[in-house]
Amino acid sequence: MTIATTRDEGRYTALDGLRGVAALGVLLYHIADWSGRRGHFGHGYLAVDFFFCLSGFVLAHAFEQRRMGFGKYLVARWVRVWPMLAIATVAGALLTGKGDAETWIDFAKGLLLIPKFAPMEAGTFPSLFPFNPLAWSLCLEVLVSLAWFPVRRAPDTAVVMFVLLAGAALLFVALGMGGLQTGWDQATFGLGVLRAAYPFAIGWMCWRYRASFAARKTWLPAALLLIVLVLPVWPTRIANGLYDFACTTLLFPALVLMGAYDPGGRLAKLCERLGGVSYPLYALHWAFWYLMISIYPDGWKRDLPLWFCVLAFFVLPTASWAAWRWVETPLRNRLKRLTGT
């Protein structure tokens, strides 16, 4: 999302850069997984938890003290989220849709960010969003952010109590499941709400106490974030669960606080570009990957060669940048003018 500015604080461009690094972590994770190299870049899924924490921080920065009604807030969120969501959903429908009644129903639900809950066959994990599978985390973030707005000025005590209770529940989930890789399918969508709400609330509290955190860095949190995401999964369920929970509870809030400033100069411009392309990259890389697979002669029937993965690592961000620059940005700017947000 675009980080708003206030009169007393500038734009947090370093956080834009961290968002871009997180999106690259997700890309590496999926390229490895989809190419038959499961386990490489094993913790890339934690980028989603970083996104949730970052969302809590920047939404509090943009809206906690602003006087506005829920309707206007809803429109502002729609203008930010929907253009890229629509582009990704249309792309997925064109690539995989069959043109039948179910296709049109799934397409309409995808545009409205409504998950698809249908009877599951044993041993299967049908996508919540058939034409945009990665929209599950966006759906969770939107749900949590809408629930947050009415209580955005809640006292610190209430927020801390929620964090403690939600944290205890999420720790139980992390230890039981061997990590926080949950919420993306029908069976665990409810756990996904908890997974999103907990780091979001921590990010919210980080914004309230940002003034007491003095260390401001760009390269250090970017490097730490990338290292955390590319490390392999730990050998035991408990160890991996503790690792995931510690990242969400301790490391990611610290990285957000370190990046809550504007470094200025060329570095700021680089961070802005990384932040700008991060959402399109996250939303569209599945569709672009599917397109590459459709062109590849052997399809998705066996392990893909390394050269294909390297090519995808350059092609997918480039195509996402083009979609951001020439499609999503003009569309979003037009919606801003129409809605006055």
Side-chain angles (χ1 to χ4, degrees):
M1 69 195 67
T2 301
I3 302 175
T5 58
T6 63
R7 293 182 179 179
D8 61 327
E9 292 182 85
R11 181 180 171 88
Y12 295 141
T13 49
L15 291 182
D16 288 333
L18 291 180
R19 186 189 298 109
V21 171
L24 289 174
V26 173
L27 177 63
L28 289 169
Y29 172 73
H30 282 148
I31 287 178
D33 188 33
W34 296 340
S35 66
R37 294 172 173 82
R38 182 180 292 272
H40 293 74
F41 310 108
H43 281 98
Y45 60 86
L46 285 178
V48 172
D49 303 272
F50 178 79
F51 287 143
F52 292 147
C53 182
L54 184 60
S55 180
F57 186 94
V58 298
L59 284 179
H61 174 61
F63 296 108
E64 182 176 302
Q65 301 301 327
R66 186 181 298 183
R67 292 183 177 274
M68 64 187 310
F70 182 76
K72 189 173 182 180
Y73 172 74
L74 185 63
V75 171
R77 293 256 61 206
W78 175 75
V79 168
R80 180 62 186 99
V81 169
W82 188 80
M84 197 69 255
L85 171 69
I87 294 168
T89 303
V90 169
L94 290 174
L95 290 170
T96 65
K98 299 178 180 179
D100 55 6
E102 186 176 6
T103 292
W104 288 107
I105 293 173
D106 291 343
F107 178 69
K109 286 185 174 181
L111 290 178
L112 297 173
L113 204 58
I114 299 174
K116 178 181 180 179
F117 293 104
M120 294 187 299
E121 298 180 6
T124 64
F125 297 91
S127 175
L128 293 164
F129 297 91
F131 300 135
N132 185 15
L134 304 181
W136 66 270
S137 61
L138 178 62
C139 177
L140 290 172
E141 192 269 348
V142 168
L143 285 175
V144 171
S145 67
L146 294 182
W148 164 81
F149 186 78
V151 298
R152 67 191 186 283
R153 297 193 182 98
D156 290 352
T157 303
V159 182
V160 170
M161 287 299 299
F162 174 81
V163 168
L164 291 176
L165 293 174
L170 195 63
L171 177 60
F172 178 79
V173 172
L175 295 178
M177 300 187 68
L180 294 179
Q181 195 176 8
T182 187
W184 51 271
D185 67 311
Q186 294 184 24
T188 63
F189 185 75
L191 295 178
V193 176
L194 175 65
R195 180 186 178 184
Y198 175 65
F200 184 98
I202 293 178
W204 177 19
M205 288 300 296
C206 284
W207 182 80
R208 289 189 172 184
Y209 289 92
R210 66 201 180 282
S212 60
F213 192 88
R216 296 289 184 261
K217 305 289 183 182
T218 302
W219 295 113
L220 178 60
L224 289 175
L225 178 59
L226 188 59
I227 291 171
V228 164
L229 298 180
V230 303
L231 285 178
V233 173
W234 291 86
T236 66
R237 293 169 63 89
I238 291 180
N240 201 69
L242 288 173
Y243 177 86
D244 287 6
F245 186 77
C247 288
T248 300
T249 304
L250 301 174
L251 179 61
F252 292 164
L255 298 184
V256 168
L257 286 169
M258 278 193 281
Y261 82 114
D262 182 0
R266 294 181 179 179
L267 182 56
K269 292 181 179 179
L270 174 62
C271 289
E272 287 180 3
R273 291 188 177 95
L274 284 172
V277 79
S278 61
Y279 180 25
L281 178 59
Y282 183 82
L284 286 173
H285 73 271
W286 176 85
F288 287 133
W289 175 271
Y290 192 95
L291 183 60
M292 289 185 64
I293 288 294
S294 301
I295 299 173
Y296 183 64
D298 293 332
W300 215 333
K301 298 179 180 178
R302 62 180 177 84
D303 291 346
L304 296 168
L306 182 60
W307 67 262
F308 187 94
C309 301
V310 174
L311 180 64
F313 182 75
F314 289 98
V315 169
L316 271 56
T318 302
S320 299
W321 178 86
W324 165 64
R325 177 67 176 83
W326 288 302
V327 183
E328 191 240 4
T329 299
L331 178 57
R332 179 156 45 87
N333 288 340
R334 183 173 180 82
L335 290 175
K336 282 183 177 180
R337 290 192 296 269
L338 291 174
T339 59
T341 57

